[in-house]
């Protein structure tokens, strides 16, 4: 089975720019997305560049949301300072909290227990840069419209355009951990490659958000 | 018999097969030590075996005063306590005091509260030591003074001792302890010694820093688990997941392939994996397959077990205490109040899981670890290995907590380890270690208990009749110490706090039903009081409520003839500001209880305004008689309150089909820092003999919280832990 | 027969070789310290990162040795309770002694290592800071009142 934790797994999509950092790439990504979006909206009534509500394509986000709402993703995307854990989404034990840099409170960093790989012998999951998603990427409790908008807003999502979002969720090792969480945790039930297909389809449609 | 009368018995001799009986032996004269600078074999014979030349105090030429500690220090501070008693009477320099745990020798180190067996528990260590250790220190001082007087040709009455220096003002001569130790050793042990009057104490009742604080702050204190040497084999035992099951068959093939695994053997009650190091042992056990014979196993779940206890309570029980005639009292009652209370199994869960090292070399055996019942451990090992008990040496280390867990009536830990040693014939030390999962799942719990309380009230609201029915398993029936603790079927440890409660009613019956099970039970910190105090102090509050009375006033009325109960009750109430207004959603609860010779009252404040249970503040008043080390007593109360709090809030061991559902600290939740309330401890100034301190802080916590919840506007909780109950 | 490997770790400023027949990706630092190197100041309390008794520092940050394989700490600076040598460490240990914090003492290595990490990052911690830092370290003797007081005391002495 492919090691989804390692750096080796990437989904290559011809039309996406390589890499996801840098203003030039971002600009290119935005330009491409705009082109894609424009072609997608030509038959629609809503002209907002960053997405918008398109009832016909709204269900493209559904499969994406299914994954994002899975505990493996959602547990570490709180809108508070408190991570969740396990499939039961309980509050992380031992009063573990966000801390000043999303890396845990002073004295109780995430890295005290969570390493860069799962530790099966210990029952402790791990992946590179294990931490909470920043508050701007807090998704718990959002409905799908709100989730989609938060996801696609560059002011909230770390300055990512749709292409960069796809790249991130295709390649980032912490994201990929969700598919190989080890330690008796349920992996995201959709195969990662299927998810990337669904994500790409949604992105190619301009990242439409449901009503 | 003796163990729970809170009275010491005569010291008994100990022999291998008759360790339950005893012959009276003199106590103190033998035990009083001979301070010697160097080993003196002739003198050694006089006080005991050749391996223990000094019983309690040893003075070295470099002035170090070593106090031999006959009890296990598992955090309660008894090493410091005993050292301070010696330091006081010896007039030693506290900085020169060291401690060492005493060897296993009941003749010298027996606990009078245990019929002369050497052991620690029942909060008896200070009570057993208060006179003995002061006498040992005073005798040593007298001998040093005599030695100096002889050397200087002056009268002994003119010789003084201060901070380790002996001097004669008139002639200006002085010498320190080390100078005089040898000379003192040649003198006879005094028959009578004069102890200081309390008014002259400079250490007792004052400050004496803990002897172990430094070593426990820099990682150098050696606990049992730390005591292995490089050649020690590590063993872990795979035990059945149901109590009472035994090994049927096992397949060790995969276990033996794990690097470091040396052997896999069955000892009937489990299968041991022996390995070169701890990790190998743990990994080996993970892939060990065992089929269990569960024909004798407990297969019920907790729900069924509690239902069975309730059913038992419907029939008359064994009488633990009675007066008057409850049938009559209930027959013509104006009103009957009834409440039942349910408490779960609880695990001790000391931070250092159980472990012991057995080093069996032919006709000798050395046992190393945080042993809490030295005599029992020694005799158990001797019996299994067929050695004379005196050939079993016990090296006691610091222990990482116990709360009762490190002593069992059958010395089960030592028995397991010795059986493994016997089966493997390894001629190397073997350390049997329990993992945390073993500890949480391994039984020896505070038993599950059911209490049914009924009161019949006269038209004026006064209680005419009180009937208290308890149902739960006995800790001691069927064990080697049954004879000491069970009378006419009633286990004293089941009914303590209830049979002897201070509340006096004209018609009263306290009865108990024993509910046998293969689940082993044990004396969890304050034992029977953990559940009797919850039931009684909750019910008394319910009675107060029915009478429209303030819970404090109601208790004052019932305790009019109990000055020590009243003393702590009133002090706690005063310090807590009982009766002053509290913010909305907050309330105060009160409870008072005596256990192990100490009277305690708690006023606890809770806050329900956030729709959860927050314990804000615990105000505790305690009367433990003479206080030897006030700071340590306060520390024990802080800690004991925390211990009781965690259990009351969020702990239970649950069985389903006989299998324990909890495994580690993620499902058996220990109290954590942020849950600790403010704790204020007020000690009553008393010249009475010392009472116990380790356990008395625990019983009042749960009932005071239950009472506070009602005062705060919440529901009456009759089932623990609180976290499972609906409060609103 | 398993192969012996040697993993070099820097512990308390000294390079130590851990020779073991266990896979270095699997052998927890806790057992390497205790069994291979005989350093018993770091304790076993749960084996599952739930109690903090095994807390050491890796490059100054608290890490639970019971769940950290030795391969993960190669090339780092590991500090154990035996090697606390800096002003914050000394202040904390002094405060622990002064206030007689320890009862059984078994958890205190973990408490101290965590408290040191807290004070190093937050010189004047509030009670809320102390809660967040210390909630992960279990004390069954419930010495929490004194742990909190000792952290405040150490902070004071470092300031003054």
């Amino acid at each position: 089975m492919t090691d989804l934790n390692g750096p080796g797994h990437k989904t290559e999509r011809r039309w996406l720019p390589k890499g996801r950092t840098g203003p030039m790439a971002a600009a290119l990504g935005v330009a491409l997305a705009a082109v894609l979006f424009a072609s997608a909206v030509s038959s629609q009534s809503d002209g907002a560049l960053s997405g918008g509500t398109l009832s016909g394509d709204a269900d493209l986000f559904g499969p994406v949301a299914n994954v994002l709402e899975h505990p493996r993703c959602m547990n570490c995307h709180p809108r508070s300072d408190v991570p969740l854990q396990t499939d039961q989404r309980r509050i992380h034990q031992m009063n573990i909290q966000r801390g000043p840099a999303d890396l845990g409170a002073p004295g109780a960093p995430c890295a005290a227990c969570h390493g860069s790989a799962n530790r099966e012998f210990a029952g402790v999951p791990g992946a590179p840069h294990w931490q909470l998603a920043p508050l701007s990427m807090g998704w718990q409790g959002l409905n799908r419209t709100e989730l989609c908008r938060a996801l696609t807003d560059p002011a909230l999502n770390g300055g990512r355009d749709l292409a960069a979002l796809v790249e991130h969720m295709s390649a980032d090792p912490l994201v990929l951990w969700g598919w190989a969480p080890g330690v008796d945790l349920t992996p995201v039930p959709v195969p990662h490659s299927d998810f990337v297909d669904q994500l790409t389809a949604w992105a190619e449609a301009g990242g439409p958000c449901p009503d | 018999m003796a163990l729970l009368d809170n009275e010491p018995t005569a010291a008994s001799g100990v022999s291998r097969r008759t360790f339950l009986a005893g012959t009276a032996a003199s106590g103190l004269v033998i035990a009083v030590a001979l301070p010697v600078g160097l080993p003196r074999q002739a003198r050694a014979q006089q006080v005991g075996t050749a391996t223990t030349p000094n019983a309690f105090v040893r003075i070295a030429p470099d002035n170090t005063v070593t106090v031999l500690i006959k009890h296990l220090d598992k955090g309660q501070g008894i090493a410091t306590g005993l050292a301070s008693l010696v330091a006081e009477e010896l007039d030693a320099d506290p900085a020169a005091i060291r401690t060492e745990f005493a060897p296993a020798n009941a003749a010298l180190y027996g606990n009078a509260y245990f019929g002369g067996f050497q052991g620690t528990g029942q909060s008896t260590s200070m009570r057993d030591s208060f006179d003995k250790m002061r006498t040992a220190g005073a005798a040593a001082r007298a001998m040093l003074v005599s030695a100096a007087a002889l050397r200087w040709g002056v009268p002994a009455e003119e010789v003084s001792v201060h901070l380790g220096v002996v001097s004669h003002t008139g002639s200006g001569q002085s010498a320190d302890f080390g100078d005089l130790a040898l000379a003192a050793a040649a003198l006879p042990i005094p028959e009578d010694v004069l102890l200081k009057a309390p008014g002259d104490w400079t250490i007792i009742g004052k400050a004496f820093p803990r002897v172990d604080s430094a070593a426990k702050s820099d990682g150098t204190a050696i606990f049992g688990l730390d005591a292995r040497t490089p050649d020690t084999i590590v063993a872990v035992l795979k035990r059945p997941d149901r109590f009472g099951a035994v090994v049927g068959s096992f397949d060790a093939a995969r276990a033996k392939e794990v690097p470091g695994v040396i052997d896999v053997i069955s000892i009937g009650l489990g299968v041991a994996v022996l390995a070169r190091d701890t990790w190998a042992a743990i990994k080996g056990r993970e892939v060990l397959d065992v089929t269990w014979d569960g024909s004798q196993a407990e297969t019920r779940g907790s729900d069924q077990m509690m239902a069975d206890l309730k059913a038992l309570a419907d029939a008359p029980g064994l009488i633990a205490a009675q007066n008057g005639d409850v049938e009559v009292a209930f027959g013509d009652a104006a009103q009957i109040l009834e409440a039942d209370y349910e408490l779960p199994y609880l695990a001790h869960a000391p931070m250092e899981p159980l472990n012991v090292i057995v080093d069996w070399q032919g006709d000798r055996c050395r046992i190393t670890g945080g042993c809490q019942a030295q005599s029992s451990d020694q005799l158990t090992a001797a019996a299994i290995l067929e050695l004379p008990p005196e050939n079993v040496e016990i090296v006691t280390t610091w222990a990482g907590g116990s709360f009762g867990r490190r002593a069992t009536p059958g010395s089960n830990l030592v028995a397991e380890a010795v059986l493994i040693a016997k089966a493997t014939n390894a001629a190397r030390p073997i350390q049997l270690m329990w993992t945390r999962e073993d500890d949480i799942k391994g039984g020896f719990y505070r038993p599950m208990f059911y209490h049914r309380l009924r009161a019949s009230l006269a038209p004026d609201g006064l209680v005419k009749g009180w009937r208290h029915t308890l149902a739960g398993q006995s800790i001691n029936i069927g064990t080697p110490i049954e004879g000491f603790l069970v009378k006419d079927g009633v286990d004293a440890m089941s009914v303590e706090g209830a049979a002897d409660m201070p509340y006096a009613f004209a018609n009263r019956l306290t009865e108990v039903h024993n509910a046998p099970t293969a689940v082993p039970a044990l004396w969890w910190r304050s034992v029977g009081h953990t559940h009797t105090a919850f039931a009684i102090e909750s019910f008394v509050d319910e009675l107060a409520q029915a009478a429209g009375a303030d819970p404090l006033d109601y208790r004052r009325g019932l305790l009019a003839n109990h000055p020590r109960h009243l003393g702590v009750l009133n002090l706690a109430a005063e310090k807590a500001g009982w009766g002053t207004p509290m913010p909305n959603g907050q309330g105060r609860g009160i409870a008072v209880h005596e256990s192990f010779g100490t009277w305690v009252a708690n006023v606890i404040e809770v806050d329900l305004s956030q729709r959860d249970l927050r314990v804000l503040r615990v105000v505790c008043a305690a009367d433990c008689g003479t206080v030897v080390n006030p700071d340590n007593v306060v520390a024990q109360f802080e800690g004991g309150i925390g211990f009781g709090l965690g259990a009351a809030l969020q702990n239970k061991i649950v069985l389903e089909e006989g299998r324990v559902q909890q495994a580690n600290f993620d499902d058996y939740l220990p109290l954590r820092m942020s849950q600790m309330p403010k704790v204020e401890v007020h000690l009553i100034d008393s010249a009475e003999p010392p009472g116990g301190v380790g356990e008395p802080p625990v019983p009042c916590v749960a009932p005071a919280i239950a009472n506070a919840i009602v005062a705060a506007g919440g529901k009456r909780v009759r089932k623990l832990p609180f976290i499972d109950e609906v409060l609103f | 027969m398993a192969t012996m490997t040697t993993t070099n770790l820097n512990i308390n400023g000294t390079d130590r070789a851990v020779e073991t027949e266990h896979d270095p990706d699997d052998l927890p630092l806790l057992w390497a310290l205790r069994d291979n190197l005989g350093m018993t100041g770091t304790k076993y309390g749960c084996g599952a990162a739930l109690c903090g008794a095994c807390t050491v520092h890796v490059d100054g940050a608290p890490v639970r040795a019971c769940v950290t394989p030795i391969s993960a700490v190669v090339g780092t600076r590991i500090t154990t309770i035996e090697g606390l040598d800096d002003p914050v460490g000394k202040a904390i240990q002094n405060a622990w002694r002064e206030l007689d914090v320890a009862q059984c003492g078994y958890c205190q290595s973990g408490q101290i290592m965590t408290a040191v990490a807290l004070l190093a990052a937050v010189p004047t911690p509030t009670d809320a800071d102390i809660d967040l830092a210390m909630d992960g370290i279990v004390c069954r003797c419930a010495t929490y009142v004194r742990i909190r007081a000792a952290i405040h005391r150490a902070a004071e002495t470092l300031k003054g």
Side-chain angles (χ1 to χ4, degrees):
Chain A
M1 180 170 132
T2 316
D3 175 12
L4 292 173
N5 278 323
H9 182 93
K10 260 177 153 53
T11 303
E12 294 292 332
R13 294 289 167 184
R14 271 193 304 117
W15 57 271
L16 281 177
K18 288 203 195 294
R20 60 175 176 85
T21 56
M24 285 296 287
L28 188 58
V30 167
L32 270 176
V35 167
L36 292 167
F37 182 84
S39 62
V41 308
S42 58
S43 59
Q44 305 296 327
S45 51
D46 190 328
L49 189 64
S50 61
T53 307
L54 301 163
S55 42
D57 296 321
D59 55 2
L60 285 175
F61 187 67
V64 176
N66 284 343
V67 171
L68 301 187
E69 289 167 356
H70 190 272
R72 296 292 79 71
C73 305
M74 196 55 90
N75 280 355
C76 294
H77 281 263
R79 286 193 296 147
S80 67
D81 288 339
V82 179
L84 304 180
Q85 61 180 176
T86 77
D87 293 341
Q88 288 70 46
R89 308 179 198 251
R90 63 162 187 227
I91 289 177
H92 194 304
Q93 291 192 337
M94 300 183 280
N95 202 11
I96 294 301
Q97 297 201 16
R98 179 181 293 278
D102 308 326
L103 296 167
C110 309
C113 307
H114 296 280
S116 58
N118 294 333
R119 292 164 178 171
E120 291 294 342
F121 66 84
V124 180
H129 72 86
W130 189 275
Q131 63 175 93
L132 275 184
L135 268 174
S136 67
M137 300 175 207
W139 300 335
Q140 286 172 15
L142 297 183
N143 64 38
R144 287 190 168 192
T145 306
E146 294 163 333
L147 173 62
C148 178
R149 290 196 176 141
L151 183 67
T152 52
D153 183 347
L156 297 179
N157 71 10
R160 293 181 172 95
D161 61 8
L162 291 171
L165 273 179
V166 177
E167 177 66 20
H168 175 63
M169 287 188 267
S170 303
D172 182 276
L174 186 52
V175 173
L176 294 174
W177 169 84
W179 280 261
V183 304
D184 290 335
L185 294 171
T186 310
V188 177
V190 174
H192 184 258
S193 54
D194 289 1
F195 168 62
V196 174
D197 289 343
Q198 291 156 352
L199 188 62
T200 305
W202 167 76
E204 283 177 350
C209 292
D211 290 323
Chain B
M1 198 241 184
L3 286 178
L4 286 179
D5 294 343
N6 276 321
E7 291 298 324
T9 62
S12 331
V14 174
S15 70
R16 191 196 327 179
R17 282 186 184 78
T18 59
F19 67 94
L20 292 179
T23 54
S26 50
L28 292 171
V29 171
I30 290 176
V32 167
L34 183 63
V36 286
L38 302 168
R40 302 271 293 188
Q41 290 309 307
R43 284 297 184 181
Q45 306 300 341
Q46 198 170 333
V47 292
T49 72
T51 59
T52 57
N54 308 289
F56 294 134
V57 184
R58 199 161 64 221
I59 299 178
D62 68 357
N63 285 321
T64 315
V65 176
T66 302
V67 180
L68 275 81
I69 308 299
K70 60 188 172 67
H71 293 286
L72 174 67
D73 197 320
K74 43 206 167 81
Q76 83 281 40
I78 198 63
T80 302
L82 269 49
S84 69
L85 295 176
V86 168
E88 178 74 76
E89 292 293 345
L90 187 51
D91 280 313
D93 175 8
I97 297 272
R98 309 280 178 272
T99 61
E100 233 175 69
F101 289 112
N105 185 326
L108 296 176
Y109 303 117
N111 183 339
Y113 288 82
F114 291 175
F117 288 146
Q118 185 173 349
T120 302
Q122 298 259 286
S123 303
T124 56
S125 300
M126 180 51 76
R127 291 186 276 171
D128 187 65
S129 305
F130 189 60
D131 290 344
K132 284 180 190 172
M133 298 305 289
R134 286 188 300 154
T135 304
R141 182 190 192 282
M143 293 159 83
L144 289 162
V145 163
S146 298
L150 273 171
R151 179 181 292 178
W152 300 331
V154 300
E157 310 80 68
E158 292 177 14
V159 175
S160 59
V161 183
H162 183 62
L163 290 178
V165 175
V166 184
S167 48
H168 180 250
T169 324
S171 59
Q173 301 185 86
S174 72
D176 55 27
F177 283 2
D179 289 345
L180 294 162
L182 259 181
L187 300 174
I189 303 171
E191 294 278 326
D192 279 304
V193 286
L194 204 58
L195 300 180
K196 286 185 187 175
D200 297 328
W201 287 339
T202 59
I203 291 175
I204 297 174
K206 313 214 182 317
F208 192 85
R210 283 184 80 117
V211 298
D212 49 349
S213 274
K216 290 178 176 176
S217 304
D218 65 13
T220 58
I222 297 296
F223 296 83
L225 198 64
D226 304 331
R228 68 178 287 250
T229 49
D231 66 336
T232 306
I233 293 170
V234 179
V236 291
L237 193 64
K238 189 171 176 97
R239 294 177 188 80
D241 60 355
R242 279 177 165 156
F243 300 102
V246 294
V247 179
S249 64
F250 67 98
D251 179 355
R254 288 171 67 209
K256 285 185 172 169
E257 283 168 10
V258 171
V261 171
I262 300 169
D263 200 1
V264 178
I265 53 121
S266 170
I267 57 167
L269 57 99
V271 180
V273 175
L274 284 82
R276 282 190 272 280
D277 59 35
T278 313
W279 191 238
I282 290 173
K283 299 285 281 185
R285 188 174 68 171
E286 273 170 20
V287 293
L288 172 63
D289 288 317
V290 183
T291 309
W292 302 101
D293 170 0
S295 53
Q296 303 300 312
E298 173 63 81
T299 56
R300 291 177 295 167
S302 291
D303 288 347
Q304 184 61 53
M305 295 175 82
M306 183 57 76
D308 291 345
L309 293 182
K310 291 182 189 178
L312 276 177
D314 289 337
L318 299 163
I319 296 175
Q322 71 173 345
N323 46 267
D325 189 335
V326 283
E327 298 297 340
V328 168
F330 280 84
D332 61 359
Q335 186 188 0
I336 292 181
L337 271 163
E338 176 169 331
D340 54 4
Y341 302 89
E342 299 173 35
L343 299 102
Y345 279 118
L346 293 174
H348 298 67
M351 272 317 289
E352 180 195 11
L354 260 57
N355 59 85
V356 71
I357 299 174
V358 172
D359 187 2
W360 177 37
Q361 305 286 346
D363 67 344
R364 308 201 60 81
C365 179
R366 173 185 294 158
I367 291 171
T368 304
C371 296
Q372 185 170 345
Q374 279 78 3
S375 296
S376 176
D377 291 348
Q378 185 180 40
L379 292 161
T380 300
I384 294 172
L385 297 173
E386 295 172 76
L387 296 177
E390 55 271 21
N391 287 21
V392 176
E393 178 191 357
I394 301 200
V395 176
T396 302
T397 63
W398 298 107
S402 174
F403 318 115
R405 184 61 185 87
R406 296 187 127 90
T408 61
S411 277
N412 301 66
L413 174 69
V414 165
E416 287 180 350
V418 171
L419 286 169
I420 292 170
K422 193 171 178 183
T424 59
N425 226 343
R428 273 164 67 184
I430 298 177
Q431 178 172 61
L432 172 64
M433 169 187 161
W434 284 45
T435 62
R436 178 60 57 196
E437 290 82 2
D438 294 340
D439 172 67
I440 299 294
K441 289 186 178 293
F444 294 99
Y445 303 124
R446 194 285 304 271
M448 168 193 291
F449 250 88
Y450 171 71
H451 290 252
R452 183 175 296 162
L453 274 149
R454 276 165 285 181
S456 75
L457 307 181
D460 60 2
L462 285 182
V463 175
K464 295 190 332 168
W466 167 288
R467 183 171 188 169
H468 186 176
T469 309
L470 294 80
Q473 71 190 93
S474 155
I475 293 168
N476 298 294
I477 289 176
T479 75
I481 57 176
E482 175 174 344
F484 289 115
L485 288 153
V486 181
K487 189 178 161 191
D488 298 329
V490 176
D491 187 336
M493 286 185 176
S494 293
V495 298
E496 56 188 356
D500 53 349
M501 67 173 185
Y503 304 118
F505 304 109
N507 305 286
R508 168 272 184 107
L509 172 65
T510 299
E511 58 186 350
V512 65
H513 298 268
N514 297 317
T517 165
V519 182
L522 199 63
W523 33 62
W524 188 100
R525 193 173 185 180
S526 80
V527 202
H529 299 277
T530 63
H531 52 88
T532 58
F534 178 67
I536 292 174
E537 285 302 289
S538 295
F539 192 60
V540 165
D541 238 54
E542 298 200 54
L543 290 175
Q545 195 169 19
D550 170 88
L552 170 63
D553 288 339
Y554 192 78
R555 284 177 173 79
R556 281 175 172 149
L558 289 174
L559 295 169
N561 298 325
H562 295 271
R564 295 182 86 172
H565 284 84
L566 283 178
V568 293
L569 193 63
N570 290 327
L571 181 57
E574 177 207 323
K575 295 294 185 184
W578 184 270
T580 59
M582 289 207 76
N584 228 19
Q586 294 185 17
R588 290 185 192 96
I590 196 163
V592 61
H593 196 79
E594 179 267 325
S595 65
F596 308 103
T598 288
W599 288 256
V600 177
N602 281 356
V603 172
I604 299 188
E605 293 174 3
V606 306
D607 181 355
L608 303 181
S609 65
Q610 308 302 309
R611 304 298 285 178
D612 60 12
L613 173 60
R614 286 161 203 227
V615 178
L616 302 177
R617 179 180 177 221
V618 176
V619 176
C620 176
D623 177 355
C624 54
T626 298
V627 175
V628 172
N629 187 326
D631 192 51
N632 189 50
V633 172
V634 169
Q636 282 304 290
F637 272 86
E638 290 165 354
I641 284 166
F643 192 77
L645 178 62
L649 286 181
Q650 60 211 33
N651 288 154
K652 56 182 176 178
I653 290 288
V654 176
L655 277 71
E656 279 176 27
E657 294 182 354
R659 297 184 180 92
V660 175
Q661 299 302 297
Q662 288 71 30
N664 206 314
F665 289 137
D666 55 348
D667 48 21
Y668 193 80
L669 304 175
L671 190 79
R672 293 183 183 266
M673 166 74 82
S674 62
Q675 296 182 286
M676 191 74 191
K678 294 202 181 334
V679 178
E680 299 157 33
V681 181
H682 303 277
L683 302 179
I684 297 240
D685 202 6
S686 167
E688 298 287 335
V693 164
E695 294 169 285
V698 178
C700 283
V701 177
I705 293 175
N707 297 339
I709 290 171
V710 173
K715 293 189 170 172
R716 166 61 56 183
V717 174
R718 297 189 182 135
K719 193 172 157 184
L720 293 179
F722 290 108
I723 201 175
D724 286 345
E725 300 303 301
V726 174
L727 305 179
F728 306 100
Chain C
M1 180 65 196
T3 358
M4 295 291 283
T5 60
T6 303
T7 304
N8 292 306
L9 300 180
N10 182 276
I11 300 175
N12 298 331
T14 306
D15 289 325
R16 306 292 302 271
V18 177
E19 283 180 27
T20 179
E21 53 199 333
H22 300 299
D23 179 356
D25 286 336
D26 188 71
L27 174 65
L29 176 61
L30 173 65
W31 298 116
L33 287 170
R34 292 182 58 84
D35 287 355
N36 295 72
L37 301 177
M39 297 175 69
T40 56
T42 307
K43 305 300 187 194
Y44 165 80
C46 72
L50 295 165
C51 80
C54 66
T55 304
V56 298
H57 291 171
V58 174
D59 293 330
V63 165
R64 299 198 173 193
C66 74
V67 296
T68 304
I70 56 174
S71 60
V73 288
V74 170
T76 67
R77 268 181 313 115
I78 299 165
T79 315
T80 70
I81 186 74
E82 293 97 335
L84 268 193
D85 208 16
D86 63 305
V88 176
K90 292 284 172 227
I92 285 281
Q93 285 176 315
N94 286 341
W96 248 245
R97 281 193 299 271
E98 185 188 329
L99 299 187
D100 280 336
V101 174
Q103 290 185 21
C104 88
Y106 192 78
C107 74
Q108 300 296 344
S109 296
Q111 303 285 358
I112 286 168
M113 297 305 283
T114 306
V116 169
L118 168 65
L119 262 198
V122 184
T124 314
T126 61
D127 280 338
D129 291 327
I130 290 174
D131 283 349
L132 291 184
M134 307 304 289
D135 259 354
I137 324 296
V138 175
C139 176
R140 286 290 290 158
C141 298
T143 64
Y144 299 126
V145 171
R146 295 189 181 214
I147 291 173
R148 185 187 298 280
I151 292 173
H152 285 307
R153 177 87 188 112
E156 267 168 44
T157 62
L158 284 167
K159 238 186 354 186

